[in-house]
Amino acid sequence: MKKPREKLYFSLALLSLLSALFFLPLAGKIPVSFSQYFNALRAWVLSKPDPSGILDILIEIRFPRVVASILAGMALAAAGTAYQAIFCNPMVSPDLLGASAGAAFGAALAIVMSLSITGLQLMSFLFGLLAVALAYFIASRADRGQKTALILILSGMVVSSIANAAMSLIKYTADTNTQLPEITFWLMGNIAPVNKSDIGFMLPPVLLGIIVVFLFRWQINVMSFGEEEAATLGVNTKLVRILVISAATLMTSATVSVCGQIGWLGLIVPHLSRMLVGADIRKTLPMSLLLGGTFLALTDTFSRTVPEAEIPIGILTAFAGAPFFIFLLLKGKKGWN
Amino acid sequence: MLEIRQLAIGYDEPIIKDLSLEVKASEFVCVIGANGIGKTTLFKTLLRILPKLSGQVLLDGTEIEDFSTKEFAKKVAYVPQAHVPPFPFEVIDVVIMGRTAALGTFAVPSKQDVLIAENLLELLGIEKLKNKKYTEISGGERQMTLIARALAQEAGTVILDEPASSLDLGNQWKIFTQIRKLATKGLGILMSTHNPNHVLSFADKTLAIFEDSTWMFGETNDVLTSENLSRIYGLPMRICTLDDGEKVCVLKK
């Protein structure tokens, strides 16, 4: 089914992701040469000690960071791809139902309660899930079998708005010398403090989410023709919707709880994928995973190497994402209609 | 076979009551009535999108509520009014979506499903659209694609909601001729339309819904009389027979 041009795009995207994973750990404030890099890797593979200390930098700092940014990028891109399809709307992003706002509120709450980093991540993750569960509950009470998607989107807006208000309240009461800056920095999105155990925290929900979306890829395709039509074609729309929402929420909350809020990526990467390989989720999803991972790994590496002082990743994705979206708009409607 | 017995439809209050009719295999049944009279509500009820208020709807002897979503999609196919989805799927993919009910929950379509879809494009004479974007083809081509998608379900009954309403005369004629052929091949067809002349030319039986929400079902020639048409639209209508025996409907001045 794949055309030669699409095969080329997939090969290039896969190559980019693998190169990002392999070469980006070379970059950083402490210079690492190719030979040092390969020596360290050889020592690692042979389980030998590495006297240069390079291996420690790679294993403890740089690889976790590159892997975390790839995972986060994949998660947000996969969630965005699935959401845009099941809500039949190309303007939808993974924080639609309040996952991101809820997770941010949970993190802020953890900061004023002076919880540990693990406590913060758990709290943030749980509040992300809770926010979407609340939006889903409100929508299911208001639902009369018509315009279900629209009611869900509105409920999500309401819940996000409540979470943002609660967040403002926390900021207002927070200690302005310690807590307030911490909350503000956290909200800007930051992959800098990520270590190996954070990846262990992120990996299961992200992997589970991707697997669910992948298993339902054909059903999600059919859902993009609207709920009623999908049902007449034999799709159990309620089941697919709640599973996809759960999967996307797991991925988004896990990502936000470890990396903070990273905007735009979940909206833009699916568009780019559709431009390259078309609307079919069987192709759009793998392409989004590859592009999302590569894009965030590159952006994060840029943020920690090029500027004098590190710039929070959320600011960079917004600076890179918004103009790219304008470019898509000006170029005409290729990824949607 | 689709059987409707003493059906009442509507959202809270019934808008049509005690409706009874049958759509047998190889029958082309048209539904005709003014805007807002309940044609779409009827179809939504038959497709289980809306719950019925009372009465029975049977498919091959089984009540529609007793089917699973998948089994139901194998019995009845639905052709909605062509709309443009937000994403640029290829025509062939849209047609393959008709195979969804035949697939396992986690499965994706097989080569066999693609072949079925390709054969249907050929049957309807639109094979050249295969790799075109569904969002970029014309309204008539989109409607044909949706008919192909419905046929891919391999259901015995096909319900079409005003498939010709936004098309030019040539395309309307194409769609009706094609649907007539499908009925002749053995499908039961239930279709709504706003053009009495098409009903006169093509439909075996007709359900007319009048302005006062009463209805009449029977052979097209018996139902579509000057008097009944006037009651449907609240305008003086006249059926004329042309020299060659063809009947046409005109509005009296």
Side-chain angles (χ1 to χ4, degrees):
Chain A
M1 292 281 283
K2 273 180 204 160
K3 296 171 201 130
R5 189 168 41 90
E6 291 171 359
K7 275 190 184 153
L8 176 69
Y9 290 150
F10 271 109
S11 313
L12 287 177
L14 182 63
L15 190 69
S16 315
L17 183 74
L18 292 176
S19 319
L21 178 63
F22 197 73
F23 292 114
L24 291 183
L26 277 162
K29 295 288 182 213
I30 299 169
V32 175
S33 71
F34 268 105
S35 64
Q36 284 172 315
Y37 181 61
F38 286 113
N39 283 335
L41 283 188
R42 193 186 311 135
W44 182 60
V45 172
L46 300 174
S47 311
K48 278 185 187 164
D50 175 45
S52 68
I54 299 288
L55 184 58
D56 285 340
I57 296 177
L58 291 177
I59 294 296
E60 296 302 324
I61 299 169
R62 292 197 188 162
F63 266 110
R65 193 155 173 184
V66 171
V67 170
S69 58
I70 288 176
L71 269 180
M74 283 182 156
L76 293 173
T81 304
Y83 261 19
Q84 291 181 1
I86 68 160
F87 289 106
C88 314
N89 187 339
M91 296 301 150
V92 153
S93 62
D95 42 22
L96 176 73
L97 298 184
S100 189
F105 167 76
L109 193 61
I111 289 171
V112 289
M113 288 165 70
S114 307
L115 296 185
S116 69
I117 187 74
T118 318
L120 182 150
Q121 287 173 354
L122 267 176
M123 188 98 139
S124 168
F125 181 61
L126 290 179
F127 270 94
L129 300 190
L130 201 68
V132 175
L134 182 64
Y136 193 85
F137 174 74
I138 294 171
S140 67
R141 295 303 295 266
D143 186 13
R144 285 178 188 80
Q146 302 265 312
K147 307 212 185 304
T148 311
L150 183 66
I151 293 173
L152 255 174
I153 293 174
L154 293 175
S155 314
M157 278 173 59
V158 171
V159 171
S160 295
S161 166
I162 293 170
N164 287 333
M167 160 87 81
S168 298
L169 188 65
I170 287 181
K171 277 175 154 177
Y172 184 70
T173 54
D175 185 305
T176 48
N177 288 324
T178 55
Q179 293 167 340
L180 188 58
E182 201 183 337
I183 296 174
T184 308
F185 278 124
W186 193 89
L187 281 177
M188 287 173 182
N190 204 342
I191 311 183
V194 168
N195 59 36
K196 278 192 287 190
S197 70
D198 294 332
I199 290 177
F201 181 84
M202 259 177 91
L203 192 62
V206 168
L207 215 53
L208 185 67
I210 291 175
I211 289 171
V212 169
V213 174
F214 178 78
L215 284 177
F216 283 97
R217 60 203 185 284
W218 182 255
Q219 313 268 328
I220 293 171
N221 259 350
V222 182
M223 291 270 285
S224 60
F225 271 74
E227 198 127 347
E228 290 180 0
E229 249 176 275
T232 66
L233 289 166
V235 175
N236 187 340
T237 52
K238 262 196 183 134
L239 177 77
V240 174
R241 196 178 55 221
I242 193 162
L243 283 174
V244 169
I245 288 174
S246 308
T249 304
L250 276 178
M251 293 191 279
T252 309
S253 304
T255 303
V256 176
S257 69
V258 172
C259 306
Q261 281 185 319
I262 298 171
W264 285 96
L265 189 146
L267 174 67
I268 292 215
V269 169
H271 281 276
L272 190 58
S273 303
R274 278 196 298 269
M275 275 176 70
L276 294 175
V277 294
D280 186 345
I281 304 284
R282 288 176 295 172
K283 297 178 213 162
T284 320
L285 177 66
M287 185 50 94
S288 289
L289 289 172
L290 296 173
L291 294 180
T294 311
F295 174 74
L296 201 59
L298 283 174
T299 316
D300 183 53
T301 305
F302 179 88
S303 84
R304 71 189 162 86
T305 50
V306 177
E308 239 353 85
E310 186 166 334
I311 296 178
I313 184 89
I315 297 178
L316 278 181
T317 56
F319 267 126
F324 180 70
F325 203 72
I326 294 170
F327 162 75
L328 288 180
L329 286 175
L330 294 179
K331 199 167 173 291
K333 33 188 178 178
K334 277 209 88 176
W336 73 94
N337 202 312
Chain B
M1 182 168 82
L2 175 71
E3 292 166 81
I4 300 172
R5 294 182 188 161
Q6 280 94 47
L7 183 69
I9 58 166
Y11 284 81
D12 292 311
E13 291 292 304
I15 49 174
I16 299 174
K17 284 188 273 195
D18 278 329
L19 182 66
S20 293
L21 64 97
E22 284 169 6
V23 183
K24 299 196 187 95
S26 303
E27 263 184 359
F28 188 168
V29 177
C30 274
V31 184
I32 193 162
N35 283 335
I37 203 73
K39 298 189 297 295
T40 303
T41 310
L42 171 64
F43 284 2
K44 282 189 171 180
T45 311
L46 297 180
L47 291 163
R48 310 197 305 185
I49 294 165
L50 273 182
K52 67 185 182 200
L53 297 179
S54 66
Q56 276 186 313
V57 183
L58 303 165
L59 266 172
D60 298 333
T62 308
E63 286 211 51
I64 52 170
E65 289 81 7
D66 295 341
F67 288 98
S68 71
T69 308
K70 258 188 196 177
E71 291 309 314
F72 191 68
K74 289 179 189 169
K75 288 283 182 190
V76 184
Y78 171 53
V79 179
Q81 290 183 33
H83 59 94
V84 187
F87 304 115
F89 284 98
E90 286 182 11
V91 166
I92 184 76
D93 289 330
V94 177
V95 178
I96 295 172
M97 287 184 192
R99 299 298 303 153
T100 305
L103 302 173
T105 307
F106 302 141
V108 296
S110 66
K111 284 214 171 88
Q112 183 64 31
D113 296 312
V114 179
L115 208 64
I116 291 173
E118 285 173 347
N119 287 338
L120 286 169
L121 289 178
E122 211 166 304
L123 178 82
L124 297 181
I126 50 171
E127 61 271 31
K128 64 175 194 326
L129 298 179
K130 186 182 162 189
N131 293 114
K132 292 249 172 72
K133 298 257 185 282
Y134 179 76
T135 41
E136 289 165 7
I137 58 179
S138 76
E141 291 170 331
R142 268 202 280 276
Q143 201 66 62
M144 277 297 194
T145 305
L146 291 182
I147 291 174
R149 187 183 75 180
L151 294 179
Q153 286 175 249
E154 295 177 343
T157 306
V158 181
I159 294 178
L160 303 97
D161 192 6
E162 291 174 26
S165 58
S166 61
L167 306 182
D168 64 59
L169 273 178
N171 273 312
Q172 287 186 13
W173 196 259
K174 257 193 221 165
I175 297 268
F176 271 84
T177 313
Q178 199 52 252
I179 294 168
R180 178 68 255 179
K181 269 194 216 161
L182 296 172
T184 310
K185 278 186 186 162
L187 290 179
I189 305 281
L190 182 65
M191 178 175 132
S192 60
T193 176
H194 281 306
N195 190 331
N197 284 320
H198 288 148
V199 182
L200 286 165
S201 309
F202 292 102
D204 300 311
K205 292 183 179 169
T206 300
L207 169 68
I209 305 173
F210 302 118
E211 270 193 320
D212 58 1
S213 292
T214 57
W215 55 272
M216 182 175 178
F217 175 65
E219 299 289 331
T220 298
N221 284 333
D222 301 336
V223 175
L224 282 199
T225 60
S226 305
E227 188 205 339
N228 283 341
L229 275 167
S230 307
R231 280 181 64 200
I232 292 173
Y233 295 112
L235 287 168
M237 307 287 282
R238 187 166 58 180
I239 302 273
C240 306
T241 309
L242 303 181
D243 294 345
D244 58 359
E246 175 97 22
K247 284 181 166 182
V248 291
C249 160
V250 291
L251 179 60
K252 274 190 219 169
K253 277 192 181 162

